[in-house]
Amino acid sequence: MQKKLFSSLKARLLVSILSIIIVSNLFLVCFLFVNSRNELMKSLAEQNSNFTYSTALQIHNINDREYKMLDSLSKLPLIRDESVDIRKKWEMINAISKEDSSYIGMAIYDEKGIGYTTTGKYQDLHTREYLTKALKGNVSILDPNWSPVNGKLSTFYAVPFYGQDSRQAGAVVAVVDSLGLCQTVSEMIMGKNSHPYVINIKTGKYVAHSDVEFLKQEKSLYDNVPAELESVIRKIKSGEFGSEFCVDKNTKKEYSVSYYPVGGYTDWTVICSAPADDFLGGLNRLFLLAVVIFCVFTFFAVFIVSAFVLKLLKPLNVLKSSIKMIASGNGDLTKRIEISSDDEIGEVVSGFNEFIEKLHKIISDVKASKDRLLCFDSKLQCSAENSNSSISNIVSNIDIVNEEISKQSNCVDATADSVREVADNISRLDSLVLEQAKGTENASAAVEEMVGNIHSVNNSVEKMAERF
């Protein structure tokens, strides 16, 4: 029971101290991790939003550069001069763009949509979407697609030009290699290996992507939209911009998604989606490192606290051993437990030493009393032996007295018979009595004295019998 008690006390102390250490450190680690993660998520959202905005601005500047270049060409006197052959105009604008490898070619069309394509063919293309808008006086851009004219993935920019009388005379078209736009977004990296991409918010089709196959296959972001991205898609369609976190239900991964419209004359929006682990990996590793440090710290804390508790409870263990020795009857009451602390345990040990001191005194007194009792016992044994011999003598004497009493009783009975006979004789000899009054009185007194002696003897015998 004592062993269980001490073990339980030690266990309670260890559990209490270690619980405080573990809970406090675990709370601190979790608190720091959660707050760091929240701050990092905010920073990530802001960083991703700025990154997306920067990408959108860069693409906007690319488009704006093309528009400005086409606008500059459309304002050249040669282009505006209606008397100049359209073929010469085509040759001039292609000669200007030939120095830039990003251009597939230039095309120019009259107000009816008839003119020279990038390949130099004279064709009627007034049904093309980009040209239809331009012939209506609007700046237009056609999403990248495979051109049936040049057979390349091309982006068409179209700007109207006007004659000297301010009447629209046609449209100037620049055809840019869309791979350049894809190269631009592929060079921009968010996180570990995430690239932004550009879509048309009306159709959802990819305008620029690091993987050209998305454009070749004319994939759309709006095809099979995951439920967790529906709210994001609605905001993208409405032309909003922002940044938020979404969780892929299939992979359970968290993504940081930001979107920003390109603006200008396009319906394009730049989207950047990067796994949160790309940015939280360092924090997660730091958290794992903190957990490892916490485990190591806990191990050393267990070792140190165990040693401390064992040292703290050492006097109690000695006290336990002393109590066991005393309980077994083999304890040395002259020994005292050394007091090594001034705390409550030291007070308990001091009280135990005082108890042992008093117990030792009591036991010493008991031993002295025992020695005296043994002496008295020997004397009593001698007295008892003497008393036994005396009693034996008394018993033998009583037996002799009993025999004498029996004899005297028989004599008394004979005497009584003689007395009765004498009494009869006295009654018969009444007449003689009167004559012999003095003699009879004397004889009667003698008889009464004898009877009294007999009664006295009987009383003495009875008392001796009772005492025996």
Side-chain angles (χ1 to χ4, degrees):
M1 186 66 180
Q2 290 177 348
K3 183 177 180 180
K4 183 178 180 181
L5 176 63
F6 280 91
S7 299
S8 178
L9 177 61
K10 180 171 67 177
R12 285 198 298 269
L13 285 174
L14 288 174
V15 170
S16 300
I17 297 174
L18 292 178
S19 296
I20 294 173
I21 295 174
I22 292 172
V23 171
S24 59
N25 284 277
L26 187 61
F27 173 78
L28 180 62
V29 170
C30 293
F31 176 78
L32 293 176
F33 174 76
V34 171
N35 281 273
S36 300
R37 189 178 189 278
N38 291 336
E39 291 299 324
L40 187 59
M41 294 291 274
K42 291 179 182 178
S43 176
L44 171 60
E46 183 178 356
Q47 179 184 356
N48 202 359
S49 180
N50 292 335
F51 178 78
T52 305
Y53 169 75
S54 175
T55 304
L57 182 61
Q58 185 172 347
I59 294 175
H60 173 79
N61 291 336
I62 292 174
N63 291 337
D64 191 55
R65 182 190 65 186
E66 303 300 333
Y67 291 136
K68 288 180 178 179
M69 188 272 296
L70 289 175
D71 185 63
S72 298
L73 290 177
S74 66
K75 292 178 180 180
L76 291 175
L78 181 63
I79 300 298
R80 298 185 63 183
D81 190 351
E82 297 179 6
S83 62
V84 177
D85 184 62
I86 195 171
R87 175 72 184 185
K88 290 184 179 181
K89 295 179 179 180
W90 177 83
E91 290 176 352
M92 185 195 69
I93 59 176
N94 274 279
I96 294 174
S97 63
K98 187 178 295 184
E99 297 178 359
D100 193 340
S101 60
S102 63
Y103 288 99
I104 295 176
M106 304 289 290
I108 187 169
Y109 302 92
D110 59 18
E111 71 277 7
K112 296 181 181 179
I114 302 172
Y116 288 92
T117 65
T118 56
T119 59
K121 292 182 179 179
Y122 188 73
Q123 289 182 306
D124 181 3
L125 299 178
H126 73 279
T127 56
R128 299 293 174 85
E129 180 182 357
Y130 65 92
L131 193 55
T132 300
K133 291 181 180 181
L135 293 176
K136 291 180 180 181
N138 300 316
V139 176
S140 66
I141 180 173
L142 182 66
D143 293 348
N145 56 32
W146 292 99
S147 172
V149 177
N150 56 49
K152 296 181 179 180
L153 187 62
S154 308
T155 303
F156 291 80
Y157 297 88
V159 174
F161 68 88
Y162 300 87
Q164 295 176 351
D165 57 358
S166 299
R167 182 179 60 84
Q168 184 173 351
V172 179
V173 178
V175 183
V176 180
D177 189 352
S178 297
L179 295 178
L181 193 59
C182 293
Q183 182 66 27
T184 299
V185 297
S186 65
E187 291 175 354
M188 305 182 73
I189 301 176
M190 182 68 176
K192 292 183 178 180
N193 194 28
S194 298
H195 305 277
Y197 52 90
V198 185
I199 66 166
N200 188 305
I201 60 176
K202 292 183 177 179
T203 62
K205 290 184 178 181
Y206 290 94
V207 175
H209 199 283
S210 57
D211 187 356
V212 183
E213 293 298 323
F214 281 76
L215 279 74
K216 291 181 179 180
Q217 298 175 12
E218 297 185 354
K219 290 185 177 181
S220 174
L221 180 64
Y222 300 159
D223 296 338
N224 301 320
V225 178
E228 60 271 12
L229 293 178
E230 288 181 353
S231 61
V232 176
I233 296 300
R234 285 196 298 270
K235 294 176 182 179
I236 291 174
K237 287 182 177 180
S238 62
E240 298 180 20
F241 63 90
S243 180
E244 54 189 278
F245 291 91
C246 301
V247 178
D248 190 334
K249 293 182 178 180
N250 295 326
T251 61
K252 304 300 181 183
K253 287 186 177 181
E254 189 174 18
Y255 290 86
S256 173
V257 181
S258 60
Y259 40 92
Y260 203 96
V262 174
Y265 302 100
T266 68
D267 295 321
W268 297 354
T269 290
V270 177
I271 301 174
C272 183
S273 176
D277 289 341
D278 290 356
F279 307 92
L280 301 178
L283 181 62
N284 293 332
R285 288 191 296 271
L286 181 62
F287 177 72
L288 292 176
L289 179 62
V291 171
V292 172
I293 295 174
F294 168 74
C295 293
V296 174
F297 175 77
T298 302
F299 173 78
F300 282 105
V302 170
F303 177 77
I304 295 172
V305 170
S306 299
F308 173 75
V309 171
L310 289 176
K311 182 178 180 181
L312 184 66
L313 297 180
K314 185 177 180 180
L316 294 180
N317 291 327
V318 175
L319 181 62
K320 177 187 69 174
S321 301
S322 300
I323 292 174
K324 281 187 174 181
M325 292 295 292
I326 293 172
S328 64
N330 298 320
D332 186 359
L333 299 181
T334 60
K335 291 184 178 180
R336 300 293 181 266
I337 300 176
E338 183 180 355
I339 301 174
S340 59
S341 62
D342 297 331
D343 53 10
E344 288 78 1
I345 295 178
E347 293 178 359
V348 171
V349 174
S350 177
F352 178 77
N353 288 337
E354 292 178 2
F355 165 73
I356 293 298
E357 181 70 26
K358 293 181 179 180
L359 182 62
H360 180 242
K361 184 178 180 181
I362 292 171
I363 296 299
S364 298
D365 293 341
V366 171
K367 286 184 176 180
S369 299
K370 177 184 175 183
D371 294 337
R372 289 195 297 271
L373 287 174
L374 289 175
C375 182
F376 292 150
D377 181 67
S378 62
K379 291 181 180 180
L380 285 175
Q381 286 181 357
C382 293
S383 298
E385 290 176 356
N386 294 330
S387 298
N388 288 331
S389 60
S390 299
I391 290 171
S392 299
N393 293 330
I394 291 171
V395 170
S396 61
N397 291 331
I398 289 172
D399 292 337
I400 294 170
V401 170
N402 284 332
E403 291 178 358
E404 292 296 329
I405 289 172
S406 298
K407 291 178 179 179
Q408 289 182 8
S409 178
N410 293 328
C411 292
V412 169
D413 290 339
T415 304
D417 292 337
S418 299
V419 170
R420 282 193 296 272
E421 185 179 354
V422 170
D424 290 338
N425 291 327
I426 289 171
S427 63
R428 284 193 303 266
L429 299 174
D430 184 47
S431 59
L432 295 175
V433 170
L434 291 174
E435 295 177 359
Q436 297 178 356
K438 288 185 178 180
T440 303
E441 288 177 357
N442 293 330
S444 178
V447 170
E448 287 178 356
E449 184 179 358
M450 184 179 64
V451 171
N453 291 330
I454 293 170
H455 283 294
S456 178
V457 170
N458 285 331
N459 290 331
S460 298
V461 171
E462 290 176 355
K463 288 180 180 181
M464 290 179 64
E466 288 176 358
R467 289 179 181 177
F468 176 75

